[in-house]
Amino acid sequence: MLEGFNYSPRISRKVRAIDEDNIKRSPLRKFHKHLDLMFEDGQRKCFYCNEVIDDTDISVDHVIPWSYMFSDDLWNLVYCHKGENSHKSNRLPSEEDIIRLENRNVLLLLDRIEPKSRDYDQL
C-alpha cells in the first residue's frame, strides 16, 4: 500500500525493520556488458570526471548509494575510478549528478538497450 502513495523502490521493506547485516550484495560485474554500451570507442569513462579509466582502476558505483536502495538496478549504476567510488562513500549525489544519470539512462533506453528486455524494464 505504501508504494501506491510513494514511488520509492521497496519502501515497504525499508519501513519494516530490516536486518541490513543479512542483506546480501551481488557482484556488479554482470552489469559491465550493459554499461559498456555507452562507450562506442571501447574506452570506459568515469561518470564523475569523464576521464578514461584503466581496466585495473575501474569500479561500478551506485549513484544513489546502495545503503539507501538495497538494490542493484542498472539505472543507478555507473563506471568510475576506484578512488572516486571510495571517496564518495555513502553520500547522496548532487542534483547535477542526478540529471547526468537521467540523461545517461535516456541514451541507454532509446539507443542501446533492446526494447522489451529485462534490462529495458530496469531503465
Side-chain angles (χ1 to χ4, degrees):
M1 185 170 136
L2 281 172
E3 290 175 6
F5 295 102
N6 184 324
Y7 298 107
S8 176
R10 294 174 259 307
I11 193 168
S12 61
R13 286 182 52 202
K14 292 174 187 166
V15 171
R16 288 184 258 138
I18 296 175
D19 182 5
E20 294 177 28
D21 295 329
N22 287 327
I23 296 176
K24 302 282 191 244
R25 292 182 67 176
S26 61
L28 300 179
R29 190 167 235 358
K30 64 184 173 189
F31 292 102
H32 282 223
K33 67 180 180 177
H34 303 296
L35 295 174
D36 285 346
L37 294 174
M38 287 303 303
F39 307 108
E40 293 173 5
D41 60 3
Q43 293 186 315
R44 298 169 174 160
K45 293 184 181 170
C46 178
F47 178 77
Y48 300 106
C49 71
N50 204 34
E51 293 180 14
V52 173
I53 308 171
D54 182 54
D55 287 344
T56 61
D57 192 30
I58 197 161
S59 180
V60 176
D61 181 46
H62 296 81
V63 176
I64 299 172
W66 186 86
S67 60
Y68 286 76
M69 305 270 300
F70 301 119
S71 66
D72 299 321
D73 296 323
L74 180 58
W75 66 265
N76 189 37
L77 300 173
V78 296
Y79 283 136
C80 70
H81 292 96
K82 287 180 182 178
E84 289 186 63
N85 194 355
S86 296
H87 182 261
K88 181 179 162 268
S89 188
N90 281 332
R91 285 191 296 259
L92 288 172
S94 67
E95 185 174 346
E96 178 184 310
D97 287 341
I98 293 291
I99 291 168
R100 286 185 20 246
L101 178 66
E102 181 180 20
N103 291 335
R104 190 283 314 253
N105 288 340
V106 167
L107 282 175
L108 276 175
L109 189 62
L110 296 178
D111 295 337
R112 308 223 165 80
I113 300 286
E114 183 69 31
K116 300 195 182 193
S117 69
R118 192 176 102 188
D119 302 318
Y120 186 89
D121 291 340
Q122 278 195 28
L123 290 170

